[in-house]
Amino acid sequence: MPEPSPSVWLEAAGPEEPAPIRAATVWSALATGLLAALLLGDGLGLNVLLVAVPAALGAYAAARAAGRRMRPWTLVWAVGGLVLLLVPALRDAGWPTFLALVAALGLGSLALHGTRTWRGTLLGCAGVFCGAVPGIAWAWHGLRERAEGSRDRWGPVVRTGGTAVGLLVVFGALFAGADAAFADLLARMVPEMSLGDGPVRLPLLVLGVVGALAAAHTAAAPWRWDRIESTPGQPRGRVEWALPLIALNVLFAVFIVIQLTVLFGGYDKVLDETGLSYAQYARQGFWQLLAATLLTLVVIALALRWAPRGAVRDRTLVRAVLGTLCVLTLVVVASALRRMEWYVDAYGLTRLRVSAAGIELWLGVVILLIMAAGLFGGRWLPRAVVASAGAAVLCFGLASPDALVAEQNVKRFERTGTIDLEYLQDLSADAVPALDALPEPQRSCALWYIADDLRGAGDPWYATSRGEARARSLLAERPVDRIALPCGRLDGEGRARDAY
């Protein structure tokens, strides 16, 4: 049976006609746009969460108007997305912030859709973008209808808002002139605006309004990705299906036996068997094992598509073969993580290495979820995998990877006298507390460029992360000094070598 054409898919999954837009949704979109224009131009911090809150409220109002109910998984996606937006407020590093924002967008989009299948869950992570253009048209038609039916009510609203703003401006200026402390508080709380900021603020305003309307339209009329049907894979015979996988299991088992022999044999065993050091042995194998873990997930997915089904013996065979493969893969994951530990001991921790180890650890969690689905049923598996990815990104951000990199390299310096100061200079303000423990002149050398980035008046409170605020406080107590030492890599004797 051939696969349905894309036009058939779109017709099956297309959204229904949404209910007319409510005033609460309109005001929420305007509030989102204004907050985005006022706050996001200064950087990222708590302002991201402040901008997202009115957009979420507008989407909630649109969903209620459409008669949709809050379900447990919807609550999980919504709360998870909002919690991920705390990462920019806590961490100064850009890469965990970027991952958290992408994950928050994906979980928020899932909260608006509500899906169960693999296809629905994966497409739902980006489905909110489909509501951008329809959301604008939906809001425009709704505003026109409201304006035609309630012309007499717009005048009082405009006059009331204008009066409130005027009173706040006049009395706020008087109080600021009367008390310097109040003026300072007002200056730190209220965003600074100027005509020169227009080219930056206006696009943020438009982006905030369009994003909020897209979220609200999706909540009112979501795409039904679960309705897309595809033909299942053709079941294979037991021998045809099981024999390649059993051979793969044997290969995994042989590899694991060798790994256990090396692991328990110790350093001398590694040298005897391979002629390599621990570091060389680890570097040689981690990336291959990571690739093997990813390919195993692909093999499992394809094996499930073509697995024999129907009889009880078929299901038992599938569980036994794939369960064995999952267990062996978990041992491969443990071996990869052990190799990374050796590699870090020899060469130090970097952003790439901590990210790769985090990915490998998350893949191990996915394997465990697949094993649980094989025992208890897998209807929940797509959502559980996506939820585990969101939780992994949250843990990654809260763990402060830049701080972990700095802390591990400082400990390694204390143990070996070797440190790559040039690499540490590129870390964010999150690394300052760990780097502050270095002795001089290494401390000043590692912190000089970070301190230089933090000089000046600083960002406003809503665009300042906790990591940046803490770094400023530490550097104010113990300023860095210009030093003559080349900021490169130190050898085991603590002498500077050429930077690389």
Side-chain angles (χ1 to χ4, degrees):
M1 180 177 178
E3 289 280 348
S5 64
S7 60
V8 175
W9 283 353
L10 293 177
E11 183 178 354
E16 300 175 355
E17 188 68 24
I21 190 170
R22 286 191 172 185
T25 300
V26 175
W27 288 113
S28 296
L30 291 176
T32 303
L34 289 174
L35 287 175
L38 292 173
L39 304 182
L40 294 183
D42 297 309
L44 300 181
L46 187 61
N47 49 8
V48 180
L49 181 60
L50 296 177
V51 171
V53 168
L57 293 176
Y60 177 75
R64 288 291 300 271
R68 299 184 66 193
R69 295 180 299 168
M70 179 73 72
R71 300 182 183 277
W73 275 104
T74 303
L75 188 61
V76 169
W77 303 135
V79 173
L82 292 176
V83 171
L84 279 165
L85 295 181
L86 289 174
V87 173
L90 298 175
R91 302 293 173 239
D92 180 61
W95 54 306
T97 294
F98 173 76
L99 290 176
L101 292 179
V102 172
L105 179 63
L107 296 189
S109 183
L110 281 177
L112 301 173
H113 285 86
T115 59
R116 293 185 177 87
T117 64
W118 278 109
R119 180 180 285 107
T121 301
L122 295 177
L123 292 177
C125 287
V128 68
F129 292 106
C130 297
V133 175
I136 297 173
W138 177 54
W140 174 252
H141 291 307
L143 289 176
R144 287 187 59 184
E145 293 178 0
R146 287 180 176 275
E148 293 174 357
S150 57
R151 294 181 183 273
D152 296 336
R153 287 185 290 178
W154 285 101
V157 171
V158 174
R159 289 194 299 270
T160 301
T163 302
V165 172
L167 290 174
L168 290 175
V169 171
V170 171
F171 282 93
L174 291 174
F175 290 149
D179 188 281
F182 180 80
D184 181 66
L185 176 64
L186 198 63
R188 286 187 283 111
M189 292 188 63
V190 179
E192 295 183 3
M193 296 287 291
S194 65
L195 292 177
D197 294 333
V200 176
R201 307 286 181 178
L202 184 58
L204 291 174
L205 172 66
V206 174
L207 181 64
V209 172
V210 172
L213 290 176
H217 185 273
T218 304
W223 283 76
R224 303 296 184 179
W225 306 112
D226 287 342
R227 295 177 180 174
I228 298 178
E229 297 182 359
S230 58
T231 57
Q234 184 67 32
R236 300 291 192 261
R238 293 173 187 169
V239 175
E240 179 186 1
W241 179 86
L243 188 58
L245 294 175
I246 292 175
L248 183 62
N249 283 340
V250 172
L251 178 64
F252 269 61
V254 172
F255 175 79
I256 289 170
V257 169
I258 296 175
Q259 292 296 289
L260 294 176
T261 302
V262 172
L263 288 174
F264 288 106
Y267 182 75
D268 294 335
K269 186 67 175 179
V270 173
L271 291 178
D272 293 339
E273 295 291 336
T274 66
L276 302 173
S277 67
Y278 262 145
Q280 293 170 330
Y281 184 72
R283 180 170 54 184
Q284 184 189 59
F286 174 80
W287 298 105
Q288 289 89 336
L289 295 182
L290 177 60
T293 307
L294 288 170
L295 287 176
T296 301
L297 292 176
V298 175
V299 169
I300 292 174
L302 295 176
L304 288 173
R305 178 174 175 81
W306 293 318
R309 45 187 176 266
V312 176
R313 289 198 303 174
D314 291 336
R315 293 193 293 271
T316 302
L317 176 65
V318 170
R319 288 180 177 179
V321 173
L322 294 185
T324 302
L325 181 59
C326 287
V327 171
L328 296 175
T329 305
L330 287 177
V331 181
V332 171
V333 170
S335 177
L337 293 174
R338 181 58 175 165
R339 286 172 182 257
M340 178 57 73
E341 183 181 354
W342 290 342
Y343 195 28
V344 168
D345 286 340
Y347 296 104
L349 189 62
T350 64
R351 288 173 168 176
L352 177 61
R353 291 163 196 167
V354 72
S355 301
I359 293 173
E360 184 72 26
L361 190 60
W362 173 67
L363 291 177
V365 173
V366 173
I367 295 294
L368 289 174
L369 291 175
I370 293 174
M371 294 174 65
L375 294 175
F376 307 109
R379 292 189 60 186
W380 48 268
L381 182 60
R383 291 173 289 184
V385 170
V386 174
S388 70
V393 172
L394 178 62
C395 293
F396 187 72
L398 296 181
S400 188
D402 273 17
L404 292 176
V405 169
E407 181 179 354
Q408 197 281 333
N409 280 277
V410 169
K411 290 181 178 178
R412 181 169 173 268
F413 173 71
E414 295 172 350
R415 187 177 68 253
T416 66
T418 302
I419 190 169
D420 186 356
L421 294 173
E422 186 181 30
Y423 181 82
L424 297 178
Q425 290 166 1
D426 292 331
L427 298 179
S428 66
D430 298 331
V432 169
L435 297 178
D436 187 60
L438 285 170
E440 293 290 359
Q442 288 82 15
R443 173 187 175 274
S444 292
C445 187
L447 291 175
W448 176 255
Y449 289 99
I450 300 176
D452 191 53
D453 290 337
L454 295 177
R455 289 191 181 98
D459 296 324
W461 63 272
Y462 50 80
T464 301
S465 65
R466 181 178 178 273
E468 181 181 345
R470 187 181 180 189
R472 288 181 181 277
S473 176
L474 289 174
L475 293 173
E477 295 176 3
R478 297 182 58 198
V480 298
D481 298 322
R482 291 187 179 273
I483 54 177
L485 177 69
C487 294
R489 187 179 180 187
L490 300 182
D491 61 18
E493 302 297 326
R495 296 186 298 266
R497 301 194 305 186
D498 292 337
Y500 70 94

